[in-house]
Amino acid sequence: MSTLKAVRGTRDLLPPETALWTRIEETARRVFARYNFGEIRTPVFEDTSLFARSVGEETDIVSKEMYTWEDRARAASEKAQSLTLRPENTAGVVRAYIEHKLGETGQLQKLFYIGPQFRRERPQKGRYRQFSQIGAEVIGPQSSGSESPLRDAEILEMLATLLDELGISGWTLHINSVGSSADRAHYNEVLRAALVDLAPKMCVDCQRRAVTNPLRVLDCKVPEDQPIIETLPKIVDSLDEESKQHLAAVTAALDAAGVPYTRNHRLVRGLDYYTRTTFEFTHGGLGAQNALLGGGRYDGLSEAIGGPKAPGIGFAMGEDRLVLTLQAQEAAQAEKIDAYIAPLGESLNPAALALARELRRAGLSVELGDGSFRLKKSFEAADKAARRIVILGEDELQSGILTVKDFATGTQTKVPRAELAEFLRKPGGE
Ligand code: ATP
Ligand code: MG
């Protein structure tokens, strides 16, 4: 008899890895609570038409990735129905918002979810057929402030905080605006015109997209097409004044809060009800599947599935990819030495050697920099070799209190010299 195995693209999660999943979920719940989000749990399967109408017929998800079946009627009172395992959770949340008339409360709804999603994709590292998403939606009638750029900025600031608290270092926030549906229609035509000459030099998918939905050319991952895509007109030049101001207000609030971001002109969503802000957080350690999370504004979604006007914004993060990132970070940390000593100026070199001797004699692995290095160079060298950097300047020498930075968490701590060896012995990253 052949042995039965977990279905292709699905996995068993076993201890000790499950402890990491629990830690991620607990951290997410803690952060969501601080921002006044409440949990929503929607069914794992829904009527197929919900996804067709919300995610959109021409997306990869709906056109080829959904697990759909005909549910036979079991009694005369029942109807046969086409059902689908949810490929994402925004559609279910907005359906529930409409079904339970949450808009009639007049309050902004701030809802988060954690749970499995299903897509029939080609399985590879970071891409599975059953995967878990942690996501949230902020949705409500216009009078609740749901359209305000402050909502966008607050969600992005929350995500930056969440990733930091999870201990994920080195993420990049990409942000763009796709404007109003009129802006997008205009941009689609601008792209279509630009692609007439260019598309024949591109991949077959792009040749098709250039005709059916030019916007999606920007999503192309084929390396040879990238230089061509870089020359295409940018959507920002097709935005109306209101959309431009909305985006400017989002970035101004991010600047004020000190959240770093980069403008990415290629970040678009191909669907009609997506409006204005789109964003993605990526991480270099993930390889080809480098998106940790994606999201954006969907001011027209509720109406597209038969509900009242209810502007909203949300995101979904791939929990599997968070786990992979944290595991890779932990493995990299484990290979590093305990500390790198950076003397600030050549006059401190002798004192740095004395400190290195002290720590090495205490059994720690230590790399000694040089006072002639600029601080930036010391930090780069230290980050490659060690879990922490110890800064030794004139002040530190006089006071006997050293500045230590942990690379995994980015936190800086003042440590008395007598306690330094003990401090550096801790694994770090916490
Ligand atoms: P990708 O470009 O990687 O296919 P996507 O645009 O299909 O991503 P979304 O639908 O926006 O992704 O989903 C949000 C997040 O969910 C992604 O950023 C990713 O982290 C995660 N995700 C999506 N599909 C999968 C999958 N098949 N396996 C694991 N995680 C996934
Ligand atoms: Mg995908």
Side-chain angles (χ1 to χ4, degrees):
M1 222 165 56
S2 64
T3 46
L4 287 168
K5 293 204 168 124
V7 172
R8 185 169 141 80
T10 73
R11 299 170 301 152
D12 300 308
L13 303 175
L14 306 172
E17 190 186 313
T18 37
L20 183 54
W21 286 76
T22 305
R23 177 159 74 80
I24 290 171
E25 288 164 18
E26 283 171 357
T27 304
R29 286 174 187 281
R30 199 176 60 232
V31 171
F32 288 146
R34 242 190 275 148
Y35 288 76
N36 194 27
F37 279 76
E39 184 178 9
I40 181 166
R41 301 188 190 199
T42 65
V44 165
F45 57 88
E46 300 263 3
D47 195 297
T48 304
S49 63
L50 173 66
F51 303 113
R53 282 157 67 184
S54 63
V55 182
E57 302 269 11
E58 46 175 324
T59 58
D60 284 354
I61 293 181
V62 174
S63 65
K64 56 186 184 204
E65 295 177 358
M66 296 206 304
Y67 286 97
T68 297
W69 71 99
E70 275 310 306
D71 211 32
R72 285 179 323 226
R74 296 198 51 180
S77 59
E78 278 183 8
K79 277 203 292 228
Q81 198 177 5
S82 175
L83 302 178
T84 293
L85 287 178
R86 63 182 185 200
E88 57 93 53
N89 219 149
T90 302
V93 172
V94 177
R95 181 207 37 76
Y97 172 91
I98 298 166
E99 185 167 338
H100 301 285
K101 301 187 169 52
L102 299 182
E104 289 179 12
T105 63
Q107 301 291 313
L108 196 62
Q109 301 296 309
K110 300 170 74 175
L111 303 164
F112 78 88
Y113 58 83
I114 300 177
Q117 317 294 334
F118 307 85
R119 297 183 194 176
R120 189 190 279 109
E121 306 202 61
R122 189 166 70 78
Q124 46 196 303
K125 188 174 179 210
R127 193 177 290 289
Y128 311 100
R129 290 181 168 183
Q130 174 173 339
F131 59 100
S132 176
Q133 283 184 336
I134 301 177
E137 315 293 345
V138 176
I139 180 170
Q142 272 168 307
S143 60
S144 68
S146 55
E147 226 168 341
S148 166
L150 188 56
R151 302 280 72 86
D152 309 42
E154 188 183 27
I155 274 220
L156 293 168
E157 188 277 324
M158 175 173 81
L159 283 164
T161 299
L162 175 53
L163 291 176
D164 287 345
E165 292 202 13
L166 285 169
I168 293 189
S169 51
W171 48 261
T172 306
L173 161 57
H174 304 258
I175 174 166
N176 196 18
S177 173
V178 294
S180 64
S181 57
D183 295 341
R184 225 181 12 257
H186 174 248
Y187 181 58
N188 240 335
E189 290 323 308
V190 171
L191 270 187
R192 201 187 299 276
L195 284 166
V196 169
D197 290 336
L198 296 172
K201 300 178 203 142
M202 301 178 78
C203 70
V204 284
D205 282 335
C206 281
Q207 295 180 19
R208 181 173 42 78
R209 292 173 185 139
V211 181
T212 57
N213 192 355
L215 212 61
R216 300 207 51 220
V217 167
L218 302 183
D219 267 343
C220 173
K221 305 260 160 46
V222 175
E224 293 75 25
D225 287 357
Q226 303 310 310
I228 302 178
I229 294 171
E230 291 304 318
T231 67
L232 291 170
K234 296 184 167 67
I235 194 165
V236 64
D237 298 319
S238 294
L239 297 186
D240 65 17
E241 214 32 57
E242 256 183 278
S243 294
K244 274 190 194 150
Q245 277 172 17
H246 195 275
L247 177 63
V250 175
T251 54
L254 290 177
D255 290 337
V259 177
Y261 60 89
T262 82
R263 286 290 313 280
N264 181 340
H265 296 286
R266 289 181 50 180
L267 200 64
V268 293
R269 304 237 156 192
L271 310 174
D272 281 352
Y273 51 79
Y274 278 110
T275 45
R276 299 182 175 163
T277 314
T278 54
F279 58 87
E280 202 168 86
F281 282 73
T282 58
H283 194 278
L286 280 167
Q289 270 57 253
N290 71 352
L292 285 174
L293 68 96
R297 213 166 236 296
Y298 46 78
D299 293 345
L301 177 53
S302 171
E303 286 154 298
I305 57 175
K309 183 164 179 62
I313 177 165
F315 67 85
M317 47 208 257
E319 196 177 359
D320 306 68
R321 295 188 192 174
L322 295 177
V323 168
L324 282 173
T325 306
L326 287 172
Q327 284 172 333
Q329 267 181 213
E330 276 163 29
Q333 287 300 107
E335 283 168 13
K336 287 181 166 184
I337 60 168
D338 296 317
Y340 181 102
I341 298 175
L344 296 184
E346 284 175 67
S347 64
L348 287 151
N349 275 348
L353 180 66
L355 180 62
R357 175 173 162 91
E358 207 173 289
L359 296 175
R360 287 166 174 158
R361 288 194 154 211
L364 293 160
S365 49
V366 174
E367 184 61 275
L368 181 57
D370 195 280
S372 68
F373 295 170
R374 301 255 291 272
L375 198 55
K376 184 163 181 277
K377 177 170 169 183
S378 297
F379 265 90
E380 281 166 7
D383 195 8
K384 283 204 189 85
R387 283 196 291 279
R388 297 185 176 96
I389 185 169
V390 179
I391 315 249
L392 183 65
E394 204 52 62
D395 287 352
E396 282 82 2
L397 190 62
Q398 293 308 323
S399 65
I401 308 223
L402 293 134
T403 306
V404 181
K405 184 174 171 185
D406 185 316
F407 288 114
T409 58
T411 48
Q412 207 154 293
T413 319
K414 300 265 184 210
V415 186
R417 187 156 178 165
E419 295 165 22
L420 186 59
E422 192 192 342
F423 182 86
L424 296 173
R425 234 189 292 281
K426 287 185 289 188
E430 275 136 35

